[in-house]
Amino acid sequence: MKLVVGLGNPGPKYERTRHNIGFMAVDAIVRRHGFRSPRDKFNGELYEGDIGGERVIALKPMTFMNNSGESVAPAARFYKIEPQDVIVIHDELDLAPAKLRTKRGGGAAGHNGLRSIDAHLGQEYWRMRLGIGHPGRKDLVLHYVLQNFLPDETVWIDKQMPAIAEALPLMLAGQDSAFMSKVALLMDPPQRTLKEEREAEAARAAKAEK
């Protein structure tokens, strides 16, 4: 069993802010894989479903970002899920917008949601780091992460969220490099060459004649 956690802040005020990209990813996962309706449990919205034959719990903590560990750790303990089977999806200032990286363990790097989870669960969980870019100055960070995504940013958001949901079975299987590669491919599929387009057209025509 795996626990997939998206970090964010509850309420419509924060719904489309950069800090809530983890919530957005969980919403896409739940839709793509047909998870059951949420229950209010462990101070969060909890969803249950199956992906590739494996039971998966998805969680959106409703504790506000700074207290995320108060939701994540009780859920993990209740379902007897070890930290290495927990995947936390969160915004990452140190990655360019639309970039994605995964890693297991490590520090919180100033992220208060991760700091809270570290304190309650330890550090050996997986992090899915979704780049949102940096405003350039430390004193602007709080305002920046609590701002809504700009209209031009929604272009890549609308590609990345379903790509994460589609590729997630690879991450759950421990193939994090393959997961990152598939997300990148789904977001920016290679363009066909003129020769490939002609071959595809010829194949369609031949099929139509049958």
Side-chain angles (χ1 to χ4, degrees):
M1 187 188 301
K2 296 290 195 296
L3 174 60
V4 178
V5 179
L7 298 189
N9 288 307
K13 176 182 176 181
Y14 300 102
E15 191 172 349
R16 295 294 294 178
T17 62
R18 295 184 178 93
H19 225 14
N20 271 38
I21 197 169
F23 274 16
M24 297 176 199
V26 164
D27 289 340
I29 290 165
V30 166
R31 286 193 301 270
R32 169 64 180 81
H33 297 284
F35 279 33
R36 291 177 280 283
S37 297
R39 292 181 290 149
D40 294 332
K41 203 168 183 181
F42 310 114
N43 291 314
E45 285 185 5
L46 185 138
Y47 304 79
E48 295 184 56
D50 295 282
I51 300 178
E54 182 168 27
R55 188 180 178 199
V56 177
I57 305 297
L59 178 67
K60 292 163 57 176
M62 294 289 133
T63 54
F64 285 92
M65 182 69 80
N66 292 2
N67 297 312
S68 298
E70 295 175 10
S71 174
V72 177
R77 285 196 294 268
F78 179 85
Y79 290 104
K80 297 181 173 58
I81 299 173
E82 296 296 326
Q84 61 266 26
D85 290 321
V86 176
I87 300 167
V88 176
I89 309 172
H90 65 92
D91 58 304
E92 177 59 71
L93 287 162
D94 293 331
L95 286 177
K99 295 295 183 183
L100 179 154
R101 295 291 183 271
T102 60
K103 69 173 184 176
R104 181 180 159 193
H111 194 291
N112 289 334
L114 297 183
R115 184 180 289 118
S116 176
I117 296 171
D118 288 353
H120 289 84
L121 188 70
Q123 297 181 327
E124 289 307 303
Y125 56 91
W126 281 92
R127 299 113 194 274
M128 189 187 299
R129 305 158 60 212
L130 306 185
I132 60 169
H134 197 287
R137 284 172 27 201
K138 188 175 181 180
D139 61 307
L140 297 178
V141 165
L142 181 59
H143 178 67
Y144 176 77
V145 299
L146 294 179
Q147 275 187 326
N148 285 352
F149 280 106
L150 300 175
D152 61 339
E153 291 176 300
T154 61
V155 175
W156 63 262
I157 288 288
D158 291 343
K159 290 182 179 179
Q160 190 180 59
M161 297 302 103
I164 288 170
E166 179 69 25
L168 188 65
L170 291 168
M171 186 72 189
L172 297 176
Q175 301 176 45
D176 60 307
S177 294
F179 165 76
M180 288 188 286
S181 296
K182 185 168 183 177
V183 170
L185 185 62
L186 290 168
M187 289 183 66
D188 188 18
Q191 299 297 312
R192 284 180 172 177
T193 64
L194 181 59
K195 179 182 177 183
E196 288 171 333
E197 287 287 357
R198 287 173 174 168
E199 289 174 348
E201 181 61 34
R204 287 194 294 268
K207 186 176 180 180
E209 290 175 0
K210 290 182 180 179

